[in-house]
Amino acid sequence: MITVLVVDDQPLVRQAVRDILTDSGGILVVGEASNGREAVRAAAASAPDVVLMDIRMPELDGIAATEQICASPAGSATRVLVLTTFEEDEYVVAALRAGASGFIGKGAEPEDIVRAVHTIHLGDALLSSAATQALVQRFVHRRTPRADAWEGGGLARLTEREREVFLLVARGLTNQEIATELVISTHTAKTHVNRIMAKVHARDRAHLVIRAYESGLVTAGS
């Protein structure tokens, strides 16, 4: 069973999401929270596999709550999936930097929400190629690459092949697509991605994308 904590300041939204996840089978909602402070406490108490996190909430917003959950030792295995809309791209980028593993719109179909929880739980980032491009072009490219990004961020330790894979991840390609592009096995592609994440200290693919653009390895539109 995948354990989930549902966080939203609207009771009707929490109930709807709880019903969707419970009815799907294989997912257990272990708690709810109506604001960021409650979410941090609930996550520490129940150590859920996935937190479905709203952004705009009273007392403590979802971005700050995500950062606290992901930074805590108890939250090292917890993945945060942000509930948002595409009109809030700027908040999504901030949430990804805080440690979230992806996002999904509140208007998504029930089966998409269930699929998103399973995707995040498997350790993948919920970022399609189209979503990645939209986020990067609107926000990430505005940041000035840090001078220490290569050395301090671990990018200088990447092999030539790992750098190739890194670029493909930044474009939003899946392991299967990377394997096809480089004519390697899917297992090998996954191994490269895992090694890259370890070297650049990224939690998942979402953060690899952010690191790629922040470091200047790739630029918006490249």
Side-chain angles (χ1 to χ4, degrees):
M1 295 288 284
I2 301 174
T3 55
V4 176
L5 172 67
V6 179
V7 184
D8 197 288
D9 62 341
Q10 299 181 43
L12 288 178
V13 173
R14 294 200 305 272
Q15 185 60 54
V17 173
R18 173 186 280 273
D19 290 344
I20 289 171
L21 298 179
T22 300
D23 292 343
S24 70
I27 297 177
L28 175 65
V29 177
V30 293
E32 297 180 12
S34 61
N35 60 62
R37 294 193 189 284
E38 289 182 5
V40 173
R41 290 196 295 267
S46 61
D49 297 316
V50 177
V51 176
L52 274 172
M53 180 76 74
D54 187 20
I55 291 182
R56 295 180 178 178
M57 296 183 294
E59 295 192 36
L60 188 70
D61 65 33
I63 295 173
T66 295
E67 186 171 16
Q68 291 186 30
I69 291 172
C70 293
S72 69
S76 60
T78 297
R79 296 290 178 262
V80 176
L81 174 61
V82 175
L83 291 165
T84 185
T85 64
F86 283 107
E87 287 75 25
E88 296 176 344
D89 288 343
E90 188 168 8
Y91 293 104
V92 173
V93 174
L96 291 174
R97 291 190 180 119
S101 296
F103 64 93
I104 188 169
K106 287 187 176 181
E109 295 295 326
E111 58 269 23
D112 292 331
I113 295 176
V114 173
R115 188 179 302 114
V117 170
H118 282 277
T119 297
I120 293 299
H121 177 58
L122 289 173
D124 293 327
L126 195 67
L127 286 175
S128 66
S129 297
T132 299
Q133 182 179 11
L135 289 171
V136 168
Q137 290 192 351
R138 291 187 61 179
F139 297 102
V140 180
H141 72 285
R142 296 179 186 176
R143 293 175 61 88
T144 301
R146 301 191 308 271
D148 65 342
W150 281 97
E151 292 298 335
L155 275 68
R157 293 187 288 128
L158 298 181
T159 65
E160 183 176 350
R161 173 60 79 175
E162 288 170 347
R163 196 172 301 186
E164 284 183 285
V165 173
F166 197 4
L167 287 168
L168 296 177
V169 171
R171 285 170 45 194
L173 273 65
T174 64
N175 288 342
Q176 180 60 59
E177 291 168 336
I178 291 173
T180 300
E181 180 83 11
L182 300 180
V183 195
I184 57 178
S185 69
T186 303
H187 175 75
T188 299
K190 182 178 181 180
T191 298
H192 283 310
V193 172
N194 288 339
R195 287 176 178 170
I196 295 167
M197 286 194 290
K199 288 183 178 181
V200 304
H201 311 296
R203 285 173 62 95
D204 53 35
R205 300 173 79 94
H207 302 123
L208 284 182
V209 174
I210 296 298
R211 292 285 175 85
Y213 284 88
E214 287 185 330
S215 68
L217 179 64
V218 290
T219 57
S222 64

